Amino acid sequence: MSRLEVLKTYKIFIGGKFPRTESGRYYKAVNSKGVPVANICLSSRKDVRNAVQIARKAQGPWQERSAFNRGQILYRIAEILEGRSSQFVEELMLQDYSKINATKEVEAAIDRIVYYAGWCDKFNQVSSSVNPVSSSHFNFSTNEPVGLVGLLLPESSSLLTLVSYLMPIIAGGNSCVLIASERFPLTAITFAEVLNTSDVPGGVVNILTGAVAELWSPLSTHMDVNALSVDLKSPYLKDIQLAAVENLKRVMCMHSADEQGLVNITDFQELKTTWHPIENIGGASNSY
Amino acid sequence: MSTENKNWEYADAVEGTGHIKLKEKYGLYINGEWVAPRSKTYFSSTNPHDEAHLAEVAQANKQDVDAAVIAAERAYHDVWSKITPAERGKYIFRIARLMQEQAKELAVIESLDSGKPIREARDIDIPLACNHLFYYAGWADKLDYAFPNQKKEPLGVAGQIIPWNFPLLMAAWKIAPALATGNTVVLKPAETTSLTALKLAEIIDEAGLPPGVVNIVTGFGDTGAAIVAHPKVSKVAFTGSTAVGKLIQKTIAGTDKKATLELGGKSANIIFDDAPLDQAVEGIINGIFFNQGHVCCAGSRLFVQENIADKVIRKLKHRMQSLQIGNPLDKNTDIGAINSSEQLKTINKYIDIGRKEGSECFQVDCALPNKGYYCKPTLFINVAQSSVLAQEEIFGPVLTIQTFRTIDEVIQKANNSPYGLAAGVWTDKGSKIFNLTSKLKAGVVWANTYNKFDPASPFGGYKESGFGREGGLHGLGAYLK
Amino acid sequence: MLKAYNINDLPSSPSVDKVGVEERVARFQSRSIKNQAKMQGLKMVLSMIDLTTLEGKDTPGKVRQMCFKAAHLHDAYPNLPSVAAVCVYPSMVNLAKSIVGVHGINVASVSTAFPSGQAPLEVKLADTKFAVENGADEIDMVISRGKFLGGEYAFVFDEIAAIKEVCGRSRLKVILETGELTTLDNVRKASDIAIYAGADFIKTSTGKIQPAATMQVTYTMLQAIRDYYDETGKMVGMKPAGGISNAKLALHNLVMVKEVLGQEWLNNEWFRFGASSLANDVLMQILKTDSGVYQSSNYFTLD
């Protein structure tokens, strides 16, 4: 007797929980042959609002974690993903990947997470500076997370793209509201399950699915979002840039998921310069 | 036994103007030449101290800007991108040196044209401007060390628009990193303070910089808008108001242009009860009255711990009485003229609002010059966070004072602003300093000091105070891709 | 006489940031004092000088000559003030008083086992009493720096209060010897102790230790005087001593007094310079300002 398969319900991911969209709407994700593969939440602007609210609360504590601890948590994401790699391979194959390509993709994604896990407690050493000012002051510049980043994944999104765009944002202590690819939402939601079992505090990453045409606007006009990560080829780029002006969101563009590097982290960092007086600079000792 | 003395007042000590050389009329500096504007229009640059005419300055129109950008683009392709980085650096060193040689003249002209005290122009603006060029000159051939493994390249033509509060210093902040990284420049000074930028053009000419590498076009907002909109400009660097910064962002949306924006601020200066109080009072004074308060990072919101508020305010009022207000060219002047009649109107509008809102207002008891644009140093005491005075940038010598009780309260209030340019913290306790400096959302935090600037120190804001950094290693990044 | 305060009344002294003080001092030094302001200032400086000789080799002859100079700074130039006081060891008070008394010039005597202060309280009291009885108008005592640095603030406080009692009507200047206190925080603390213990003046140095009256130190002490005035409404005088040897530095000190304390302190009742060679440089500057001709020290008497 053949066993009836239990199908998975794909929901969105907000604050470490998996609610349905408040709108109750859904759409059918299809593969390239037009075969439906799952019902996907069609998130609304209110979902964006809820996600931003929760991401804002989560950001401060995430930033205040030690960089080493963030590194461990990112590494944990890689560990969990490795353990569930076959599930991702299958899902990617549902989305028309060949088995070889799907396997490669998952492996590359795991390695990329490990790459950024390693950066967590190092990037600030590389990108900060002690500045030799001419007065009696100690002066140094260090990075601080820009805060809450909205991430609009490209439509070509796969697991690797998601990881490549997301990891540098959270490695640097930001929280993130992520809009998954409309066409390839499955791995995004399954990846949320990985995040949720990887000690990533609830609310640091929030994942919404739905129509990008509908969701870019509430996200990029939201006055409590500090920066946006947008694909350079996004058809909404100019609109997003215009919408971002109102509170001067930093809009950063990535060219492709093949990029990895320090700049992807520092794009979402502010630089803070601190001054403090130093006594007796210039070798003077006990003379006033 | 006591000696008979009438009050001892400082006598006039006015800096001479005999040695300065100003032309009657300035054209535009395009492609290494002084050219008459195609607009055929000139405007007058005046002295805010006595409203006297100083020189005629050309008003560049769209065609003038186009000529400047084309000259810059040609210079970029034909010359500037071809010479070695080391040679590039040597040109910048040479400009820095020539500026140092003419520092006194530049200081006097800056004071005349902007209204700032000669003491500040002489001791702060001009030396910092020279040092900025000297600092970046040395970076030109060391960029690979600044950005290892990143293979950075210049952007091309940088369009740079600067404000009237630190005219020559802002020109140096813009030009130095642009040239060091291999870009060419079209720079527009503010319409009320064009003169030192034009003197800088003469120095650049004297330095033998290849024609077109730096072009200086004078004019008003429309001149700036033409630069921002020009398709051949690949980088916009702007210092000025947040409103204009947003307009620029809108203009360049959807293009490949990169931008750095140094915009407004409403920075908090926080005094704890364990602070070195007398130095803190100096910090408050420097924070808000430096350059008549025309400072984007001015410490315009003072937060004093409640248990020392009376004492600090008393000390502050006493200290304010010894500020000398008047002729900017007098070497003893601490507070000079407001830059323009428009700005004076803006400031007075806020002072009126403050009085109407009913916060306690304190102004120094002193006579102001009969002519010119002057404003008394002003305190508003017991201001509420929701007051317009505590929310909006006034850009003048007006300080709002709020009290606080706990650390968490003051962090919240300090960060409760759309701006995030700078902040000051005064306490003797190291762990408290680092708690605050890490939690304040601001690009520059001064602990037990305020309003310090240095070419090696990156400057720039969080949130609506803009993005990008100027100064230091990080200032290079804004001019590279 | 009852003590006005005891050590428990002392407010906690605010901390002092040295770099901030240096910046403030640089601002005073950038004041440009010209023309009539300069002339008025220079004459004021002359009138504020405590002309001083404090050497082991002092003799009546030396003191006599200095006292004459005090009353006749430069007779070739009319309308010059005389100095405020002469400052000598207790053994010379009688002699000094007999010469300068008629000119309205005060006699100040160092006491309390000057300059080290390393003597028991009885000796210090006797030292002081001797000077007062010999006619000293002013007593310049030293604090016990060893005790201060050892944290025995109450000892230092009580000692000053005890000396103040035997001073009677003579005004008490308390020398902190700031060069031995090593930090501006200590200078501030010692100033507060001296003021609350009853000092009429606070004074930087004995002149035997370097650094002496730097502007940073004087500024810190002026702030203590200001705060005390704001708290109590009572004025305390200030005397920088040692190291102020030229007119420019003296004028910058006056700028500092004017801006920190105000016009009320700009007279020799509330401000003094302890100096031996300052007077001649000021005289040269006065003549230069008047005539436009640079002067030579050959034309100014050394006493």
Side-chain angles (χ1 to χ4, degrees):
Chain A
M1 199 175 93
S2 69
R3 177 179 171 277
L4 181 68
E5 191 184 357
V6 178
L7 289 175
K8 172 168 167 181
T9 309
Y10 288 87
K11 296 192 284 186
I12 56 177
F13 181 53
I14 298 178
K17 297 190 171 70
F18 290 91
R20 288 199 170 82
T21 164
E22 65 78 39
S23 68
R25 305 173 304 168
Y26 74 99
Y27 72 102
K28 286 202 185 298
V30 294
N31 66 14
S32 62
K33 294 179 192 86
V35 179
V37 293
N39 292 329
I40 300 293
C41 288
L42 190 61
S43 303
S44 68
R45 51 188 306 124
K46 283 189 181 166
D47 293 316
V48 170
R49 177 200 65 191
N50 294 344
V52 168
Q53 218 163 46
I54 278 169
R56 171 56 65 199
K57 278 207 192 90
Q59 194 272 324
W62 180 236
Q63 171 180 351
E64 280 167 26
R65 296 244 180 168
S66 71
F68 179 79
N69 181 240
R70 280 203 304 273
Q72 286 193 310
I73 291 172
L74 261 70
Y75 187 79
R76 182 76 179 152
I77 300 172
E79 286 180 349
I80 304 289
L81 183 57
E82 182 83 48
R84 294 175 61 167
S85 53
S86 59
Q87 183 188 0
F88 281 88
V89 169
E90 278 173 30
E91 261 179 7
L92 287 170
M93 287 166 67
L94 277 178
Q95 296 177 160
D96 305 326
Y97 274 70
S98 69
K99 179 147 194 183
I100 290 174
N101 285 344
T103 309
K104 263 195 205 153
E105 170 102 5
V106 175
E107 286 170 358
I110 293 164
D111 290 351
R112 182 132 311 157
I113 298 169
V114 172
Y115 171 80
Y116 283 112
W119 262 128
C120 288
D121 54 1
K122 296 167 196 70
F123 76 87
N124 212 354
Q125 284 184 304
V126 177
S127 61
S128 63
S129 61
V130 171
N131 310 308
V133 294
S134 308
S135 52
S136 296
H137 294 92
F138 186 70
N139 176 300
F140 60 98
S141 300
T142 53
N143 281 131
E144 269 182 12
V146 67
L148 197 170
V149 183
L151 167 55
L152 285 135
L153 283 172
E155 273 311 280
S156 60
S157 175
S158 61
L159 179 64
L160 180 59
T161 315
L162 185 151
V163 160
S164 301
Y165 280 59
L166 175 64
M167 287 302 138
I169 293 170
I170 61 170
N174 299 289
S175 64
C176 185
V177 173
L178 177 163
I179 312 290
S181 157
E182 195 169 343
R183 192 167 154 236
F184 302 114
L186 301 193
T187 41
I189 293 305
T190 309
F191 187 72
E193 294 160 12
V194 170
L195 291 172
N196 209 30
T197 46
S198 309
D199 306 327
V200 180
V204 171
V205 181
N206 306 278
I207 299 181
L208 305 180
T209 53
V212 177
E214 185 186 348
L215 296 179
W216 72 261
S217 170
L219 190 61
S220 49
T221 54
H222 200 301
M223 294 297 275
D224 208 24
V225 172
N226 302 106
L228 295 167
S229 177
V230 187
D231 188 70
L232 190 65
K233 294 185 273 307
S234 165
Y236 305 107
L237 181 58
K238 184 175 177 181
D239 293 329
I240 287 169
Q241 285 174 330
L242 283 171
V245 169
E246 216 36 64
N247 67 338
L248 288 180
K249 291 180 191 72
R250 288 82 170 115
V251 181
M252 298 297 168
C253 299
M254 263 175 84
H255 297 259
S256 82
D258 298 333
E259 292 176 16
Q260 69 174 20
L262 174 66
V263 68
N264 298 326
I265 299 176
T266 53
D267 270 354
F268 299 101
Q269 297 290 310
E270 291 287 356
L271 189 76
K272 175 179 278 177
T273 300
T274 305
W275 296 67
H276 197 279
I278 314 177
E279 279 191 4
N280 298 334
I281 203 163
S285 57
N286 196 14
S287 66
Y288 303 113
Chain B
M1 176 66 214
S2 88
T3 38
E4 283 304 311
N5 276 319
K6 55 182 190 302
N7 277 2
W8 188 51
E9 303 297 343
Y10 308 136
D12 289 349
V14 179
E15 182 68 57
T17 55
H19 61 288
I20 66 162
K21 293 183 256 336
L22 276 179
K23 290 195 263 187
E24 278 179 21
K25 193 181 245 193
Y26 284 92
L28 305 167
Y29 185 68
I30 295 175
N31 205 28
E33 283 173 19
W34 290 99
V35 298
R38 287 161 174 76
S39 69
K40 299 194 171 64
T41 317
Y42 292 83
F43 60 96
S44 168
S45 201
T46 57
N47 181 347
H49 164 58
D50 54 9
E51 301 165 54
H53 167 82
L54 294 169
E56 292 282 315
V57 178
Q59 186 172 345
N61 66 13
K62 223 171 159 182
Q63 286 74 40
D64 293 311
V65 168
D66 188 52
V69 174
I70 285 170
E73 202 210 8
R74 202 179 310 124
Y76 175 71
H77 285 295
D78 297 352
V79 188
W80 202 236
S81 58
K82 297 211 167 106
I83 70 168
T84 64
E87 291 296 300
R88 225 162 57 208
K90 280 160 66 184
Y91 276 114
I92 309 170
F93 276 125
R94 197 189 268 191
I95 296 168
R97 275 294 196 237
L98 286 169
M99 278 171 71
Q100 285 174 333
E101 287 166 15
Q102 302 174 29
K104 183 69 170 287
E105 184 188 5
L106 291 168
V108 172
I109 295 174
E110 196 75 299
S111 175
L112 281 172
D113 200 22
S114 73
K116 68 173 61 211
I118 183 69
R119 183 187 62 78
E120 289 177 7
R122 178 195 68 203
D123 297 348
I124 299 169
D125 286 63
I126 309 302
L128 272 179
C130 301
N131 295 357
H132 212 83
L133 282 145
F134 201 91
Y135 172 82
Y136 275 108
W139 268 123
D141 56 354
K142 300 169 193 70
L143 299 175
D144 289 344
Y145 294 91
F147 304 99
N149 300 318
Q150 293 187 41
K151 295 191 195 72
K152 295 276 191 183
E153 281 177 27
L155 301 164
V157 178
Q160 307 182 319
I161 299 161
I162 58 173
W164 45 259
N165 56 346
F166 297 94
L168 186 68
L169 180 58
M170 288 301 106
W173 275 32
K174 294 283 181 286
I175 292 175
L179 294 188
T181 47
N183 299 277
T184 58
V185 164
V186 175
L187 175 110
K188 187 196 93 71
E191 62 269 19
T192 58
T193 55
S194 307
L195 298 185
T196 45
L198 294 164
K199 292 300 284 186
L200 177 61
E202 291 178 356
I203 287 171
I204 285 168
D205 206 60
E206 193 182 343
L209 193 72
V213 172
V214 173
N215 305 275
I216 293 181
V217 291
T218 44
F220 292 75
D222 56 333
T223 312
I227 295 175
V228 173
H230 199 288
K232 295 262 163 69
V233 167
S234 30
K235 156 85 189 180
V236 177
F238 171 76
T239 299
S241 72
T242 293
V244 175
K246 288 179 178 177
L247 280 180
I248 290 176
Q249 274 294 86
K250 283 182 180 156
T251 309
I252 66 173
T255 71
D256 289 340
K257 287 178 192 178
K258 281 185 69 167
T260 9
L261 305 176
E262 301 286 0
L263 309 176
K266 192 75 188 175
S267 300
N269 201 0
I270 302 167
I271 320 287
F272 285 97
D273 59 1
D274 58 357
L277 283 190
D278 292 311
Q279 288 70 57
V281 168
E282 280 309 303
I284 298 167
I285 294 280
N286 288 333
I288 188 63
F289 300 131
F290 174 49
N291 200 30
Q292 297 73 248
H294 302 328
V295 184
C296 47
C297 53
S300 51
R301 286 189 295 154
L302 177 65
F303 290 94
V304 189
Q305 197 159 5
E306 212 158 285
N307 56 339
I308 52 158
D310 290 346
K311 197 178 209 172
V312 168
I313 292 167
R314 186 182 67 209
K315 280 172 175 285
L316 190 56
K317 287 178 175 174
H318 173 71
R319 174 67 179 91
M320 283 165 71
Q321 296 294 356
S322 61
L323 293 170
Q324 308 279 312
I325 301 147
N327 187 354
L329 274 189
D330 192 307
K331 287 177 238 177
N332 288 324
T333 292
D334 296 309
I335 297 184
I338 300 301
N339 185 262
S340 65
S341 61
E342 289 73 31
Q343 187 57 28
L344 182 59
K345 264 181 225 141
T346 307
I347 296 167
N348 284 334
K349 181 193 82 186
Y350 280 110
I351 292 177
D352 287 345
I353 292 174
R355 289 187 197 276
K356 279 189 196 123
E357 281 184 347
S359 334
E360 181 190 341
C361 176
F362 171 82
Q363 288 189 314
V364 173
D365 180 23
C366 67
L368 296 182
N370 299 327
K371 260 186 138 180
Y373 319 130
Y374 284 91
C375 178
K376 287 183 182 180
T378 305
L379 303 180
F380 280 100
I381 300 162
N382 288 325
V383 175
Q385 181 83 354
S386 50
S387 160
V388 173
L389 290 195
Q391 293 290 313
E392 294 181 13
E393 184 176 40
I394 299 172
F395 223 63
V398 181
L399 179 70
T400 63
I401 304 178
Q402 296 168 259
T403 57
F404 68 92
R405 295 149 302 168
T406 66
I407 296 185
D408 290 342
E409 179 189 2
V410 76
I411 291 173
Q412 256 184 9
K413 283 187 171 163
N415 285 339
N416 176 218
S417 164
Y419 294 114
L421 191 48
V425 180
W426 297 82
T427 164
D428 223 25
K429 193 162 186 169
S431 58
K432 205 193 288 179
I433 288 175
F434 283 109
N435 178 18
L436 267 106
T437 57
S438 65
K439 287 195 180 130
L440 291 169
K441 303 278 184 210
V444 182
V445 181
W446 286 289
N448 293 326
T449 185
Y450 205 95
N451 267 348
K452 291 286 181 299
F453 309 93
D454 195 278
S457 175
F459 183 91
Y462 286 24
K463 301 192 276 184
E464 289 198 30
S465 290
F467 44 73
R469 293 295 177 267
E470 295 186 308
L473 181 155
H474 299 86
L476 295 164
Y479 288 94
L480 293 165
K481 61 183 169 195
Chain C
M1 200 170 101
L2 285 170
K3 276 188 290 187
Y5 298 102
N6 66 50
I7 185 79
N8 300 321
D9 297 322
L10 206 61
S12 70
S13 302
S15 64
V16 182
D17 184 79
K18 183 164 165 268
V19 176
V21 170
E22 283 163 358
E23 286 172 5
R24 182 72 183 108
V25 165
R27 286 288 292 272
F28 296 126
Q29 289 168 335
S30 76
R31 289 287 188 218
S32 178
I33 308 300
K34 295 246 186 280
N35 304 324
Q36 75 273 19
K38 186 171 181 187
M39 189 54 110
Q40 190 189 344
L42 289 169
K43 287 187 179 172
M44 209 152 49
V45 172
L46 280 185
S47 74
M48 291 166 165
I49 290 175
D50 283 3
L51 203 59
T52 302
T53 184
L54 294 168
E55 291 177 358
K57 62 179 190 286
D58 282 350
T59 58
K62 160 76 187 172
V63 170
R64 207 171 278 127
Q65 290 184 35
M66 185 186 77
C67 289
F68 186 84
K69 168 92 175 180
H72 304 270
L73 282 172
H74 195 70
D75 286 346
Y77 191 88
N79 298 323
L80 285 178
S82 58
V83 299
V86 291
C87 183
V88 294
Y89 271 115
S91 58
M92 298 295 171
V93 168
N94 207 349
L95 172 63
K97 186 75 186 173
S98 70
I99 302 170
V100 299
V102 291
H103 297 289
I105 298 171
N106 281 353
V107 174
S109 172
V110 295
S111 83
T112 68
F114 180 93
S116 74
Q118 296 284 15
L121 181 59
E122 305 82 70
V123 175
K124 292 180 178 182
L125 291 171
D127 195 15
T128 308
K129 215 174 276 173
F130 175 84
V132 171
E133 282 164 5
N134 274 269
D137 305 289
E138 301 166 8
I139 295 294
D140 290 24
M141 72 167 286
V142 291
I143 66 163
S144 295
R145 286 86 75 188
K147 297 286 187 188
F148 179 90
L149 292 171
E152 297 182 49
Y153 301 128
F155 181 97
V156 176
F157 187 101
D158 293 343
E159 197 175 59
I160 297 167
I163 299 290
K164 170 72 180 172
E165 259 182 75
V166 297
C167 280
R169 282 162 56 187
S170 305
R171 292 178 89 200
L172 176 63
K173 306 195 196 102
V174 178
I175 304 172
L176 310 181
E177 194 63 308
T178 53
E180 290 185 342
L181 299 183
T182 70
T183 69
L184 293 178
D185 282 321
N186 279 346
V187 170
R188 173 66 201 232
K189 176 89 185 163
S191 301
D192 289 341
I193 290 174
I195 290 170
Y196 277 82
D200 297 302
F201 261 80
I202 51 176
K203 175 176 170 185
T204 58
S205 321
T206 61
K208 307 296 181 194
I209 296 284
Q210 288 300 321
T214 63
M215 284 184 69
Q216 287 84 343
V217 158
T218 303
Y219 172 72
T220 304
M221 293 167 71
L222 291 175
Q223 285 291 6
I225 293 172
R226 176 85 227 167
D227 286 348
Y228 181 73
Y229 180 74
D230 285 343
E231 288 298 324
T232 65
K234 292 181 204 151
M235 290 170 78
V236 172
M238 174 71 203
K239 178 178 173 184
I244 301 171
S245 55
N246 66 59
K248 193 173 183 185
L249 189 50
L251 286 176
H252 285 151
N253 270 271
L254 293 190
V255 165
M256 190 153 65
V257 173
K258 172 180 160 66
E259 296 198 9
V260 178
L261 296 180
Q263 191 65 39
E264 306 91 296
W265 268 265
L266 277 180
N267 55 62
N268 62 13
E269 200 182 342
W270 298 109
F271 192 74
R272 297 285 179 82
F273 290 103
S276 46
S277 58
L278 174 62
N280 273 0
D281 192 63
V282 173
L283 288 169
M284 290 207 289
Q285 289 299 321
I286 287 177
L287 267 72
K288 189 260 149 189
T289 305
D290 200 28
S291 66
V293 175
Y294 293 107
Q295 302 293 311
S296 157
S297 62
N298 286 342
Y299 299 85
F300 297 85
T301 55
L302 281 174
D303 275 298

